[in-house]
Amino acid sequence: MSSPAAGTPVPDFVARRRKAAYDTDPTVARKRLALIVVLAVLMRILAWSGTVQMASDGPDSLWQAQQLQAGDIAAALSHPDPPLYALAIVAASFLTRQLVWAAVLVSIVSGVLIVFAVHGLTRLALPGRRDVACGAATLAAIYTPAVIASGNV
């Protein structure tokens, strides 16, 4: 049996089988993304539990968050780092009641949001390839430097 010549149209059933091989059903893709997000959360919690010391900018961010929580905005803005991370810590402290735990929560959530961002950007770049988007999200979920950075305060 010889292969079709160049330019010969491929029968419909072959094209459908090929498409099924690389494009997944949206519900399956959502389930895969949910599993990838669970993996990302577990990896970051595991990285955080193995942390023995804060990152170099962790105490600075906590100091900024303390200043913002106390209402001293001028002191918080006097620090050279932008206050967005500190603002997120203050917002999360309404849930945790402690700034350190709020910082851990913000770090882990920001690491998981990277997984969603990578998935969304890949879907925009390759609209018909949900499998590639899930693969890129998996890499973002398990990429060691990102896991370590987002598992630390």
Side-chain angles (χ1 to χ4, degrees), residues 49-147:
S49 67
T51 303
V52 293
Q53 165 180 337
M54 281 188 192
S56 61
D57 59 347
D60 294 335
S61 298
L62 286 173
W63 178 83
Q64 273 186 310
Q66 285 175 339
Q67 300 307 314
L68 289 171
Q69 196 174 40
D72 193 0
I73 296 172
L77 293 178
S78 70
H79 195 276
D81 289 345
L84 184 60
Y85 186 65
L87 282 171
I89 292 172
V90 171
S93 71
F94 288 111
L95 295 173
T96 63
R97 302 289 180 215
Q98 290 183 354
L99 288 177
V100 175
W101 288 111
V104 170
L105 179 66
V106 169
S107 293
I108 290 173
V109 168
S110 66
V112 173
L113 288 177
I114 290 171
V115 173
F116 282 114
V118 168
H119 183 270
L121 288 172
T122 308
R123 287 290 310 270
L124 284 174
L126 303 166
R129 300 295 305 265
R130 291 184 187 97
D131 58 333
V132 175
C134 285
T138 302
L139 289 176
I142 64 172
Y143 183 58
T144 306
V147 170

